[in-house]
Amino acid sequence: MRYVSFIHRDGAGYGVSFPDFPGCVSVGDTVDEAVRHGCEALAFHVEGLVADGARIPPPRSIDAIKADAELADWRQGADFVLIPLLLDRGSSRRVNISLDRGLLEAIDDEARERRMTRSAFLASAARHEIEGT
C-alpha cells in the first residue's frame, strides 16, 4: 500500500508530509533521502496509531488529493511522491516460493558473502526494491 506524500523544498533540504496523516513529517538533504526518511516516518506514525487503536485511513489517489480543496494551500508548490507503508510485524511467516535454480544459487552465494541467511537477504532485497520504486 502506498500513500501520497508532498515533497517541498525547505531551505537547503526537502520536507515530506502526508495529507492522509497530518502531523507525519520528515526531512532530508536530498529528495532520495527525504523519501527514505518519509518511509520510516510513515511506518513509525502508523505503528503509533495501531498501538493507540486508531483507524488507519485507506490511501487516497493522487487525483483525490488534487481534488481536495482543503489541501490546496498545503500542496502548493509540492511534488507528489507515492511512499510505501512497510510495517514490521515482529514475527516471521514461512512461505513457499519458486525460483530459478541459478538465481537461487546466486542468492545463496550473496547471502553467504554478506553473512546473512537466505530469508534475511530476500527480505532485505524485497524491502529495498519496494522502497526504491
Side-chain angles (χ1 to χ4, degrees):
M1 161 170 20
R2 295 178 185 274
Y3 285 88
V4 173
S5 70
F6 297 149
I7 307 283
H8 283 98
R9 180 88 174 153
D10 184 21
Y14 297 87
V16 179
S17 58
F18 296 87
D20 288 326
F21 298 98
C24 180
V25 297
S26 187
V27 297
D29 291 334
T30 65
V31 171
D32 289 341
E33 184 178 84
V35 169
R36 203 169 39 256
H37 291 172
C39 288
E40 296 166 0
L42 179 61
F44 183 74
H45 189 83
V46 169
E47 286 168 358
L49 292 174
V50 168
D52 291 343
R55 176 179 113 18
I56 307 305
R60 290 187 285 170
S61 68
I62 290 176
D63 288 338
I65 298 291
K66 285 181 176 179
D68 188 337
E70 292 181 18
L71 299 175
D73 289 339
W74 189 359
R75 69 176 175 259
Q76 185 70 33
D79 289 318
F80 293 59
V81 176
L82 293 173
I83 293 189
L85 174 60
L86 295 172
L87 297 175
D88 288 325
R89 302 285 188 188
S91 64
S92 298
R93 177 177 284 175
R94 186 181 222 17
V95 297
N96 183 20
I97 62 172
S98 298
L99 299 170
D100 175 82
R101 186 173 24 185
L103 177 58
L104 184 59
E105 289 170 0
I107 289 168
D108 288 343
D109 289 345
E110 191 64 27
R112 197 170 18 264
E113 184 73 26
R114 296 177 188 213
R115 299 179 192 269
M116 300 171 79
T117 64
R118 177 192 292 163
S119 293
F121 178 80
L122 288 172
S124 175
R127 180 175 294 277
H128 180 22
E129 185 65 21
I130 291 168
E131 288 177 346
T133 57

